[in-house]
Amino acid sequence: MSGLLLHLRQNYGAVLAITIFVILFVVFLSLHPRGPSVYVMTTASNTGAALAFVAMGQTLPVLTGGLDLSIGSILALCNALASEVVNGSPERVALGVVLVLLTGLACGLINGIVVVYGRIQPIIATLASGAVYTGLALLIRPIPGGEIDDVLSEAMTYETFGVIPTSLLLIVAVVLLIWVPFKNSVLGRGVYAAGSSEVAAYMSGVRVDRSKLAAYSLAGLFAAIGGLFLGFQTFSGDALIGVPYTLNSIAAVVIGGTSLYGGIGGVIGSIFGAYILRTINGVMFFAGAPPLAQPLFEGIILLGAVALAALRVVRIRNRLEVMD
Amino acid sequence: MVRHVLSPQGPAAAVLKRVDRPVLVAFCFILALIFAGSAYFPQVLTATYLLQQLQIASFLGVLATGAMLVILLGHIDLSIPWTFTGAAIVATALAGIEGTGPLALAAVPAGLAFGALVGLANGLGVAYLRAPSMIWTLGMNALILGISVFYTGGFAPTGAPTEFMRAASVGRAVLDIPNAIYVWVILGVTAVFILKLTPLGRYIYAIGNRETATYLSGVRTRLVLVFCFVWAGTCSAVGGMLLAGYANQAYQAMGDPYLLPTIAAVVLGGTHILGGRGTYSGTVMGVVLLTLLSSMLSVMQMQEAGRQIIYGGVIIVMLLVYGRGGKIQG
């Protein structure tokens, strides 16, 4: 029992995000004219899936104390690439999916190399690499279009066994097959150690360089999954689709309880952070808020969430604790 | 401030020692750009072309002047795009459809006040609520976007810049030099004055190095933070009104393309993104470099894809030359 309490306290941010999401989602379902049904659940799950993948990806560099401002561009590049290669015969489709995922991984690895060996600050390094990835995406797909295999797309955006949204299963699968093993590996612990104190981690023999490379690479991979999923939803590619995703992913990560200073948090919170952002839109739509006021509410809620998280300064006795 | 120590001896070395490396490298790159460009198009070397580039650069320059002080603190202001757009909308709305409405005189002061107010909100959130500046200013940006969309109904804002805004942007009052350049110079000189000659300037560098230490030295660090964000907001507003005067209108999202170049210009100029060091001359170099680079690429009729790739590539390569951090040490 005390173990459970400790676990809850350590994951305070994620628990808060899950609670907020559950409340929001209940409100959303009660407002939705069709009520809880398989169709509504699938739509809700699909709507937030791409952002959830990108937010999962963003979490890793943030945990190391860095940031990936190229993540939206990687998503767009992978989306554009998918509209070229993920179509045709089943073998070609399978190969295309692998190619897209490898591309995302490679983009992330390049970010990691520039940050770790180039020793350029992550904010500016990924800002620049993001421009390069956007350029590549525009080369592949100057105007939106292309084609993505519709059999695979429908399989991924409908339900499995007729009841469970496949996108939800996909998220769970990524968490269980990639995140959990990674978090428990030496590399994954190194990510948290590097974010807590890079110098201390280095002095303790943690291979900080390898952990950071892994974090940025995985961020690219997750962004690729997000780009692929967006392709499944639209059956096409768009080189500029990633623009809002970069900043939204940071918002989702923060709402999900991961510290922007690194070392604290995890991808589970970020997934719920992403779904909170998306559910708010749904709630406002069905609550009859004027569509024009929607961006205003989004801004207020984002600021409110950050201010809420910032209220810890009230509890702090020594002002020095919040500096640095 | 850490100066790069160059080893060569002699009079040339003495000059080199006084100029820091980012400024030097960026300056050489600018010269190379101009000469390479003039090989393709001789008109690049004319005063008309260069003045026109400086006029375009002055929008970015004004924004970078604001952003630099915030970055020196070790913070970042992501609300630039919509502070910029919001100030332009406020000013043109007050000026009316012809730019000569009854409230036209209040247009520029109102735009400036808008920028300062956004900056104040940014500063209070960062200094007193201790919200991370990156996410707090991002939220601020979303909030202004929301207000603008709600207020204008999502349509292009009606209203035109006043005569004064137009003149400040495209007029040529003295020596046939565009006035926008003078606006940039005035703000730049003010920034240099603050950074070099006032205690406030030293506090800014000190906070960027270590806020705790500065606070314990008796500096009221929170006021310094608030000041820098107000300054940045005001600069963004000036930039927005200049562009409104140049484009003869305000339009939704007019500031969006400016965010990344602004930060890139400051960092390319050698200001450390984590704060604590950087020179204003570097920022000027960064602004001119990025403006010239994008101008050259469009003169060469490069496609958007190629422009993005080269733009990003140049930033990475230049930072690899002089912007590398230190190794981890115990």
Side-chain angles (χ1 to χ4, degrees):
Chain A
M1 189 62 203
S2 67
L4 183 68
L5 275 179
L6 180 68
H7 189 75
L8 280 180
R9 203 177 307 153
Q10 280 175 343
N11 295 290
Y12 170 74
V15 172
L16 189 69
I18 294 172
T19 315
I20 295 175
F21 169 74
V22 169
I23 296 171
L24 266 175
F25 200 69
V26 168
V27 174
F28 171 74
L29 286 181
S30 64
L31 285 173
H32 200 291
R34 291 177 66 164
S37 69
V38 172
Y39 169 77
V40 172
M41 299 300 259
T42 305
T43 313
S45 169
N46 288 347
T47 313
L51 183 58
F53 285 122
V54 179
M56 286 164 83
Q58 185 69 267
T59 314
L60 285 148
V62 170
L63 279 176
T64 67
L67 195 70
D68 187 353
L69 290 181
S70 72
I71 204 157
S73 307
I74 299 179
L75 167 125
L77 173 59
C78 292
N79 180 254
L81 184 65
S83 70
E84 281 290 326
V85 297
V86 183
N87 49 38
S89 65
E91 298 81 35
R92 215 187 103 113
V93 168
L95 211 71
V97 169
V98 173
L99 188 65
V100 169
L101 295 180
L102 284 180
T103 304
L105 199 64
C107 289
L109 183 63
I110 292 172
N111 284 341
I113 290 172
V114 174
V115 169
V116 172
Y117 298 115
R119 298 205 300 272
I120 300 178
Q121 279 304 319
I123 297 183
I124 193 75
T126 53
L127 191 71
S129 68
V132 175
Y133 301 147
T134 302
L136 291 176
L138 281 167
L139 275 185
I140 296 174
R141 188 140 295 294
I143 47 168
E147 188 197 337
I148 286 178
D149 186 64
D150 49 352
V151 177
L152 180 63
S153 297
E154 286 178 7
M156 286 305 184
T157 50
Y158 285 1
E159 301 87 13
T160 303
F161 311 125
V163 280
I164 310 168
T166 313
S167 49
L168 201 61
L169 282 182
L170 204 58
I171 292 174
V172 173
V174 169
V175 169
L176 291 182
L177 296 179
I178 302 179
W179 168 245
V180 173
F182 177 74
K183 188 185 173 186
N184 293 321
S185 68
V186 175
L187 276 179
R189 304 317 298 171
V191 165
Y192 280 87
S196 298
S197 170
E198 188 162 340
V199 175
Y202 177 76
M203 295 308 277
S204 317
V206 175
R207 294 299 301 262
V208 173
D209 48 353
R210 286 186 193 170
S211 287
K212 282 189 165 183
L213 281 178
Y216 284 93
S217 306
L218 277 181
L221 178 66
F222 285 141
I225 301 175
L228 207 51
F229 191 82
L230 270 183
F232 294 150
Q233 285 177 292
T234 59
F235 302 109
S236 63
D238 179 354
L240 297 177
I241 203 168
V243 177
Y245 280 89
T246 304
L247 296 182
N248 274 335
S249 70
I250 300 175
V253 165
V254 171
I255 293 175
T258 297
S259 163
L260 277 180
Y261 303 110
I264 303 168
V267 303
I268 313 281
S270 306
I271 296 172
F272 283 97
Y275 274 101
I276 286 175
L277 287 175
R278 289 297 191 241
T279 311
I280 287 170
N281 289 346
V283 167
M284 282 191 306
F285 179 77
F286 288 115
L292 281 175
Q294 202 150 321
L296 179 58
F297 283 117
E298 279 173 33
I300 292 174
I301 286 162
L302 183 58
L303 270 185
V306 181
L308 207 64
L311 278 184
R312 72 192 176 95
V313 292
V314 179
R315 283 184 280 123
I316 279 171
R317 299 218 184 94
N318 186 338
R319 196 182 290 165
L320 294 179
E321 284 177 29
V322 289
M323 292 183 176
D324 292 316
Chain B
M1 261 192 308
V2 179
R3 284 199 188 278
H4 294 275
V5 181
L6 298 167
S7 44
Q9 303 290 316
V15 176
L16 277 180
K17 235 178 213 174
R18 298 194 41 175
V19 181
D20 64 1
R21 199 146 65 124
V23 178
L24 202 68
V25 175
F27 185 68
C28 293
F29 196 89
I30 290 171
L31 286 186
L33 260 182
I34 291 179
F35 285 115
S38 67
Y40 280 98
F41 298 96
Q43 65 266 37
V44 164
L45 276 179
T46 60
T48 322
Y49 174 82
L50 292 176
L51 269 182
Q52 190 198 358
Q53 291 314 306
L54 271 181
Q55 181 178 14
I56 297 171
S58 57
F59 306 130
L60 188 59
V62 165
L63 293 178
T65 307
M68 183 189 172
L69 261 61
V70 171
I71 293 178
L72 276 178
L73 290 171
H75 286 283
I76 199 160
D77 182 0
L78 295 184
S79 71
I80 290 172
W82 281 88
T83 312
F84 183 96
T85 310
I89 291 179
V90 166
T92 53
L94 281 176
I97 294 172
E98 300 287 324
T100 52
L103 293 172
L105 269 183
V108 172
L112 290 176
F114 175 83
L117 202 68
V118 174
L120 183 67
N122 283 335
L124 291 178
V126 173
Y128 290 86
L129 282 181
R130 287 283 151 187
S133 55
M134 181 175 292
I135 191 81
W136 181 259
T137 54
L138 185 64
M140 219 52 191
N141 194 53
L143 185 71
I144 308 169
L145 182 156
I147 295 172
S148 306
V149 169
F150 189 61
Y151 164 74
T152 57
F155 295 109
T158 56
T162 62
E163 203 49 53
F164 176 71
M165 286 160 70
R166 234 174 271 153
S169 191
V170 294
R172 289 170 185 239
V174 188
L175 292 176
D176 206 30
I177 293 174
N179 291 340
I181 299 176
Y182 290 117
V183 176
W184 178 20
V185 169
I186 292 169
L187 284 173
V189 168
T190 314
V192 171
F193 175 77
I194 293 173
L195 289 176
K196 292 275 178 202
L197 296 174
T198 65
L200 177 62
R202 305 321 301 170
Y203 299 159
I204 292 174
Y205 282 104
I207 291 176
N209 277 307
R210 196 157 187 89
E211 185 174 358
T212 322
T214 317
Y215 173 73
L216 289 174
S217 316
V219 177
R220 300 170 74 183
T221 56
R222 293 188 291 191
L223 289 183
V224 179
L225 292 180
V226 172
F227 169 82
C228 287
F229 277 98
V230 171
W231 166 264
T234 313
C235 285
S236 300
V238 171
M241 290 189 288
L242 278 182
L243 185 63
Y246 184 78
N248 213 8
Q249 60 175 333
Y251 47 95
Q252 304 282 0
M254 63 197 275
D256 284 4
Y258 281 94
L259 176 63
L260 303 188
T262 302
I263 298 169
V266 174
V267 175
L268 273 185
T271 299
H272 199 265
I273 190 86
L274 299 181
R277 56 192 146 102
T279 58
Y280 190 75
S281 50
T283 301
V284 174
M285 291 297 163
V287 168
V288 174
L289 195 161
L290 286 183
T291 310
L292 271 180
L293 182 62
S294 76
S295 161
M296 291 294 168
L297 294 177
S298 51
V299 167
M300 289 162 70
Q301 306 203 324
M302 177 77 71
Q303 296 292 314
E304 178 66 15
R307 291 167 64 165
Q308 294 272 356
I309 294 173
I310 293 177
Y311 204 76
V314 164
I315 296 177
I316 292 185
V317 169
M318 295 205 59
L319 288 177
L320 282 177
V321 174
Y322 61 71
R324 301 184 70 193
K327 280 191 173 159
I328 315 168
Q329 279 164 350

